Each structure stands twice: as structure tokens, then as C-alpha cells.
Amino acid sequence: MKNTPFTERHIALGAKMAPFGGFNMPISYTTISDEHLCVRSNAGVFDVSHMGEFILKGPNALELIQRVTSNDASKLTNGKAQYSCLPNENGGIVDDLLVYCIDQDKTYMLVVNASNIDKDWEWVNRHNTNGVEMHNISDKTCLLAIQGPKATGYMQQLTDMDITGLKYYTFCQGTFAGVENVLVSATGYTGAGGVEIYFENTGDNADKIWEAVFRAGMPHGMKPIGLAARDTLRLEMGFCLYGNDIDDTTSPIEAGLGWITKFTKDFTSRAIFEKQKKEGVTRKLVGLEMIDKGIPRHGYSIQNAKGDDIGIITSGTQSPSLNKAIGMGYVGVEDADEGCIVFVMIRDKAIMAKVVKLPFYNQ
């Protein structure tokens, strides 16, 4: 198991640790609900240094990205980022990712999921037929996500960059907490606002930034937050988690990600997705709100009123913000309309739920 530069700090703070994506990661420090609500109302710090980062450079960098991703990266200008996915050749998803435009048409950063770093690197490298310069900087890159409505205000104290003015899916680069060449972005996975801070794991950078971040926010109630609350926060927003809601067998069209699937260019599995867009799909990822008491969990069967299996739960939890059980899952299109009544099988009991519009949580 790998450690991040902050692993010893998590342990010292009493975090419950567990393997995630090949790393020893903090799952929670106190309770999931407490940490979740702290991010929704104030600010919290996530160590997400386990994520993967690739730099693609050269005159053919954009052309490679266009071939391997579903979204249209040609729309990106300096300082802008984009959510996208890497389709496989069978209409599934290798991974979902972020594409950062560092220097338009020349230099880009891809941010991928921790558990897929090697898989994604091999996939992009396999398609690199035009000599794009590629660097896997995952092991030497630190990433802290400071999330919450008050996060940018706390972090603005630590830099001359205008981070309170960052629009969603934009970023800036400069000096942060005395550390040079820091990238600060606003691409949050919690729906609560905030920033992500990327910096090189060299010298005492990790210590300087961790300590500065907490000096700025802790007196105001900012807390360290584990991955369990990150999961409940993203689920309230209806954001997909790779390995749960999307994987090698799901298409972005089925997953409600048609908005990141652009047919203005050629890319892997384009023909499959175009056909799905035109003719429709047989199943869709939907949001479910439990009517009867019970929490839907990954892998639970979804049935109709007749007792027929019609789908499967991919993510589920008791929502701390809404105080109700919610989940996402794939069902046949005939049962995917908002308001449809379905039943989640929990310990051999059919628990009533209804299909609702995503996101579950609206600020």
C-alpha cells in the first residue's frame, strides 16, 4: 500500500485509515455526518494526493486528447479545465477524468482516478502514435481539495492569485503559502464550492502548505475530512464514482453523461455512442429516493411492482444534508421516468423508492 505525503498527519489526527485505490487513506476522523455537514456549511480539507496526473506536451498533444476523450478539448483555452471520459473500444468507460489546458495546443494535464493510474497511462500511451511527450507525475504531485462555501475565503489569505474570483472549471498558477508553481483550480467534487491545490512533492512543500492551510481555516471551524464524507457529498450531487456508477461496461449515454460526449470530432467508440444517442439506450442511471425505511447499497437489486429484476443499485447512502436515504442505479428506460415507483431489495425485503431528478441536493 502506498502512502501520501500526509499519511502520518492523518494517523496522528486519529483518522480511521483504510486501503483505497492502492493507498492508505483517511476514511473519517470523527463521524461521516459531522464531516459532511462541515463541508456543506463551512470548509473541509481532503487529501486526494492519491489521484493521478499526466502531463501531455507537444504540437500533437491536443490531437491525442481529442482521439482518446469524449469531450471536445479544442474548446479549452489557457486556465480552463474540462470533465471528460476515456471511452474504450466497446462503448464502455476506461475512466473519467479532468483535462486542464496549461498552454493551449501545447501542454495539458490529465487528472485520473487513483485506482486507474496504470490502466489509464497504458491506454493513452497505446494511442500516442504521433510522438506526444508524456510524463506521469502522479508520484511527485500533492493534491489537497479545500471544499465548502467558506473555503476560498480562507485560502485567499495565502496567495496573491485571485482564487475567490475563480469560476467553475477554471484554474490559476502561481505562489501559494510561499510555495512556487502551485496550480489552484475550482473543479470540486462536492458541490459545495472551494478549490483544489496541486503542487510538487519536493522539499518541505507538503508540510508548508498543510500547515498554512490549517492555520488559515482551523480557527474558523475548518476540519480535515475523510473519503467517506467525500462519497456522501458527491452522491448528493449525483456525481458518478468510477467503479460504482460508471465502469468498462457502462456508456456515458447510459450514465447521463451525454453532455461530455461531443460528436464534433472523431474519438474511440464515437459510432457506438452516436447510435445510442439516436436510437436510445435500454437502461439509464437514475436517482432514487427511498420512500420506505432502508438504505440502498451498491449491488442491491432493483425490482418493479411485479417482482421482476429491472436494475441494480450502484451507489447509496443516508444523506446527511437531506436526512433521507438516497441512491443511484441503472434501470430499464421504461422505469426511468421521474416519479416512477420501484423497489430496492434490502435483506430480501422489497423497500419502496421513487425515481427523482438529479441532483438530490440543491443549495
Side-chain angles (χ1 to χ4, degrees), residues 291-312:
I291 296 173
D292 294 336
K293 191 173 182 180
I295 300 175
R297 299 295 186 191
H298 177 78
Y300 285 7
S301 174
I302 305 171
Q303 296 187 347
N304 60 19
K306 298 177 186 175
D308 302 322
D309 285 338
I310 58 168
I312 193 163

Side-chain angles (χ1 to χ4, degrees), residues 53-65 99-110 121 124-125 128-137 140 173 181:
E53 295 86 12
F54 308 152
I55 297 293
L56 274 58
K57 285 184 176 182
N60 295 316
L62 177 60
E63 185 271 338
L64 172 58
I65 291 168
V99 180
Y100 285 78
C101 179
I102 309 291
D103 187 0
Q104 191 173 358
D105 299 326
K106 295 176 183 175
T107 306
Y108 296 83
M109 180 170 72
L110 309 184
W121 177 260
V124 176
N125 203 43
N128 183 14
T129 53
N130 291 317
V132 175
E133 185 182 336
M134 291 177 53
H135 302 275
N136 183 350
I137 61 169
K140 58 183 180 182
Q173 291 174 279
N181 194 31

